[in-house]
Amino acid sequence: MNGYFFGSTKGTLSFNDEALDIVSWAPNAITFTAPVGYERTGTMSIDCGSVWRSSHRLMNMPLASRGYKNLPAPDFDITTEEGFTWNTADLLPLSMTATPNFVYCMVGSFRGGTGIALLRYSILENTWTKMEFPEGFRYSVTYGMGLSMAAGESQVYILWQAYAQADSELQERTVETWLLTWDEQSDQWLYQVAVPLTTEDPDSILNSMLVYSDGALYSVGCKSYTGLAKVYPDTGKIYQELPSMPDERIWGIATATKDGIMVTGGLQSPYMILLPQLANGTWPRENPVRYDASSATWKKSDKIFYPTADQLPSQYLDASQMWSSAVGALTNGVIVTGPTSGLNTPTMVDTWVYSYSFKDDEWKGVQGALFDSAHARDIMGATANDTYYVLASSGNTGKLLFKSLDLKNYGLSSTVASGNALTSTHNHEWGAWQVTTPATCCKEGAQVHTCSLCGAQEEQAIPTTEHAWGEWRTVQKATYLHDGTEECTCGACGALVSRTVEFKPFPDVADPENQWFYASVYDAVDMGLFAGYPDGTFGPENGLTRAQAAVVLWRYFDPEEADAYDPATAVNTTGMTDLEDGQFYTGATNWAVEHKVINGYESGTFGPADELTREQLCAVVANAAHAMKGAEIASDGTKLAAMPDADSVDGWAKTSVAWSLDKSVIGGKSIDGVRYVVPLDTVTRAEMAAIMVNAINGGVL
């Protein structure tokens, strides 16, 4: 669509060289009849609103794009205070900013401004959400507003200035000004403060452009439209003034570069908006200006990008493009989408780059990058993670378009805000400490607490903890031959410690030189066959009962059952009347009788407390060898016959005793240098230990 859109004198409108029928013409509204065959036919109106606004959203014109990636556009219904419901596509894109994780967009209207929404796009999830403003925040306007947004690493700052309608054109208007701070980490509004309202106030940031750079929030264009200052987000107060801009410039777009701040566009005077008839020749600011932080000076480019109405009319669509341009920060300049060269031609360009690192300090069209061939209007943009995001009203459908441009594909990179959250002069109100990194036994942890007023954080180290040692486990058991070793592992870090376990002999088995049974006792204990008494002694000379003998053999042949044995649940299954349930021997005697290792008396009793004789022990060992090992119990009786007391062995035991002598299970008892069988002598615990060790080592058991 081409034509002269503004002014009280009636102009002309045409589309594709076809003149449009104008029904009426006024400075701020044009009514015309659309060509037949387009999406909407009949009479249509353009509500221009002010000198920089026009609309190209009424026609169904072909859409083409190059280089940009299509992303989902926001689609939300907004209900106004007056009860009207607007869709986000019906509202104008007003301001955009971005953090590394999200893109924030404000959409609304300069008139009837209750139709306002703050939208957030998740870069990771590729989805939109509608955010709620903080409670108590008033955003309705009846005339116009000023809006600026800036973002740091995880905080977003919004400066909102609403102008109420006055009774007359010369009457001073009522102004409401808010500075809001949203914190992504806590997912909440940190501040909502009213800021100084007049340019005469020494701390005023009225009409400012906000920009966040290297840990500080800047107000650009404050204090009579030229000032530059750092401000506290929790109070809106200026705390450091910097050199002023070279000319008045309000309501442009300020962006952070690698080493300073750039301002693109802006107006020479606020009266151009508030009272157009009193503007008296003031014009948009067309030269970009840059604040160099290293030298604390402003530099002004002489390269005009936004021409006035009488400059290059065939190349640029109109002078008001500066108010509908998307601007994103680059490392050394800005990228701009909106102003169009070669409209409706194959060489059409609507994306431009200004970089002060260019040799000629000039604007260059980004070849191969076209946002919208239908010339989208009401457009805004922001950069994050070397990606340029643009939201606009489509030039042909009236719907919102949302696209991204990968800057790396064009040799460009974006500036990402850095630095910590801003601090202020208030007394912090710290919340509870929150652990961010738990401490371990080998590494310090960390915790932070957050000020509920400003979001500032302090970090504190958490000392290392004690090791979470587990149980000691035996690596090598202590014996009479050597000390043992035990190890313990920390369950948290895996650290390992070990200790030596000294061998502690029984007090009554402590003389290896003079006690023949010393080694046998400790070998039997190491095998798990014997344990000492509760008082710590072994009792080597104590007699061995039949029940105790059953326990020793059970421990050898069925160690797992013996280790897991619980006397409280044991039940006598032998049928022998003198054996009881729940005794230390019940499980062992059940096993011994079942396997015919120890047989009961002819009376049907077991005799658990009867002390075992030597010939009985020979019979028990022979029974065990036969039952558990399949050994044949036989002997020619030669060794037994050589014993002086061979005839004293009971007949039922002769074969077992002879076999035991043959297998060296027993060797006889020395009396005055002569060995005797002494078959009826009681077996001591020490003798039982020696006999078991001999039988096991000799392969008998």
Side-chain angles (χ1 to χ4, degrees), residues 615 640-651 654 657 676-680:
E615 66 179 7
L640 175 59
M643 293 291 183
D645 58 347
D647 292 339
S648 63
V649 178
D650 286 331
K654 282 187 179 293
V657 172
Y676 294 83
V677 178
V678 288
L680 300 180

Side-chain angles (χ1 to χ4, degrees), residues 373-446:
S373 66
H375 190 60
R377 295 300 307 270
D378 305 318
I379 186 169
M380 59 186 180
T383 54
N385 311 319
D386 287 334
T387 303
Y388 177 41
Y389 297 91
V390 180
L391 181 69
S393 297
S394 170
N396 67 332
T397 66
K399 298 180 180 180
L400 290 178
L401 301 177
F402 185 53
K403 303 180 182 182
S404 66
L405 188 69
D406 189 340
L407 297 175
K408 297 188 297 297
N409 292 339
Y410 302 91
L412 304 172
S413 63
S414 65
T415 298
V416 178
S418 62
N420 299 322
L422 299 180
T423 57
S424 187
T425 56
H426 60 257
N427 294 322
H428 292 295
E429 293 187 8
W430 298 114
W433 287 103
Q434 302 292 325
V435 175
T436 56
T437 304
T440 67
C441 40
C442 55
K443 186 177 181 180
E444 285 187 343

Side-chain angles (χ1 to χ4, degrees), residues 285-614:
R285 294 296 186 187
E286 300 140 8
N287 306 65
V289 293
R290 180 173 66 91
Y291 176 73
D292 187 330
S294 61
S295 62
T297 58
W298 284 92
K299 300 180 179 180
K300 184 174 180 179
S301 172
D302 61 356
K303 302 297 182 180
I304 296 176
F305 183 60
Y306 302 119
T308 56
D310 59 346
Q311 293 178 306
L312 302 177
S314 62
Q315 181 179 1
Y316 296 96
L317 189 64
D318 58 68
S320 67
Q321 287 293 341
M322 60 167 294
W323 284 106
S324 55
S325 297
V327 180
L330 299 178
T331 303
N332 294 299
V334 290
I335 182 170
V336 176
T337 300
T340 303
S341 171
L343 183 63
N344 294 330
T345 68
T347 60
M348 180 176 174
V349 176
D350 65 2
T351 301
W352 309 77
V353 169
Y354 172 85
S355 175
Y356 49 85
S357 62
F358 290 164
K359 180 179 179 181
D360 297 328
D361 182 32
E362 64 180 353
W363 292 89
K364 292 183 178 180
V366 181
Q367 301 301 317
L370 180 65
F371 180 80
D372 183 15
S373 66
H375 190 60
R377 295 300 307 270
D378 305 318
I379 186 169
M380 59 186 180
T383 54
N385 311 319
D386 287 334
T387 303
Y388 177 41
Y389 297 91
V390 180
L391 181 69
S393 297
S394 170
N396 67 332
T397 66
K399 298 180 180 180
L400 290 178
L401 301 177
F402 185 53
K403 303 180 182 182
S404 66
L405 188 69
D406 189 340
L407 297 175
K408 297 188 297 297
N409 292 339
Y410 302 91
L412 304 172
S413 63
S414 65
T415 298
V416 178
S418 62
N420 299 322
L422 299 180
T423 57
S424 187
T425 56
H426 60 257
N427 294 322
H428 292 295
E429 293 187 8
W430 298 114
W433 287 103
Q434 302 292 325
V435 175
T436 56
T437 304
T440 67
C441 40
C442 55
K443 186 177 181 180
E444 285 187 343
Q447 59 183 356
V448 299
H449 62 181
T450 304
C451 173
S452 61
L453 299 178
C454 68
Q457 291 186 328
E458 284 186 343
E459 187 174 71
Q460 185 181 78
I462 303 175
T464 56
T465 62
E466 297 292 331
H467 286 290
W469 297 116
E471 298 292 332
W472 287 99
R473 59 185 179 276
T474 300
V475 177
Q476 185 177 34
K477 189 175 181 179
T479 71
Y480 67 95
L481 297 175
H482 55 75
D483 288 336
T485 303
E486 291 181 335
E487 288 182 346
C488 185
T489 303
C490 173
C493 70
L496 182 69
V497 293
S498 62
R499 66 183 180 185
T500 298
V501 181
E502 294 182 356
F503 173 69
K504 295 181 179 180
F506 297 108
D508 51 355
V509 186
D511 187 359
E513 299 296 331
N514 299 305
Q515 291 177 312
W516 64 268
F517 50 77
Y518 181 89
S520 297
V521 166
Y522 289 117
D523 284 342
V525 171
D526 288 344
M527 292 177 184
L529 307 181
F530 281 88
Y533 293 125
D535 64 359
T537 62
F538 182 81
E541 302 298 339
N542 293 351
L544 187 77
T545 67
R546 286 164 58 83
Q548 290 172 339
V551 171
V552 170
L553 288 163
W554 187 40
R555 286 174 176 170
Y556 175 68
F557 284 108
D558 200 351
E560 292 184 0
E561 287 290 331
D563 288 343
Y565 177 61
D566 180 8
T569 62
V571 177
N572 173 32
T573 61
T574 65
M576 296 183 180
T577 58
D578 60 345
L579 293 176
E580 299 179 4
D581 298 340
Q583 301 300 313
F584 78 91
Y585 60 73
T586 305
T589 54
N590 287 342
W591 173 85
V593 172
E594 177 186 352
H595 291 87
K596 298 181 180 182
V597 173
I598 302 178
N599 299 313
Y601 297 131
E602 291 180 357
S603 61
T605 59
F606 187 88
D610 295 351
E611 291 185 341
L612 203 66
T613 65
R614 287 171 59 84

Side-chain angles (χ1 to χ4, degrees), residues 31-51:
T31 302
F32 64 98
T33 301
V36 176
Y38 289 93
E39 184 179 15
R40 298 186 184 183
T41 60
T43 300
M44 290 175 287
S45 297
I46 301 177
D47 182 4
C48 303
S50 60
V51 296

Side-chain angles (χ1 to χ4, degrees), residues 144-229:
M145 67 179 183
L147 175 64
S148 183
M149 299 173 66
E153 288 288 347
S154 60
Q155 290 184 336
V156 178
Y157 311 97
I158 302 174
L159 181 62
W160 176 277
Q161 296 155 137
Y163 297 86
Q165 179 66 58
D167 293 336
S168 69
E169 293 178 347
L170 298 179
Q171 182 179 347
E172 184 177 355
R173 287 168 174 76
T174 303
V175 180
E176 293 182 2
T177 307
W178 298 81
L179 180 59
L180 311 176
T181 303
W182 171 261
D183 181 65
E184 290 180 350
Q185 294 180 346
S186 61
D187 202 34
Q188 65 180 354
W189 294 99
L190 293 184
Y191 320 124
Q192 48 172 331
V193 297
V195 297
L197 302 181
T198 66
T199 56
E200 289 74 21
D201 191 310
D203 290 333
S204 175
I205 59 172
L206 183 68
N207 301 325
S208 292
M209 297 167 277
L210 291 183
V211 64
Y212 183 93
S213 178
D214 197 24
L217 184 64
Y218 291 82
S219 170
V220 185
C222 59
K223 300 173 71 69
S224 299
Y225 323 124
T226 61
L228 174 66

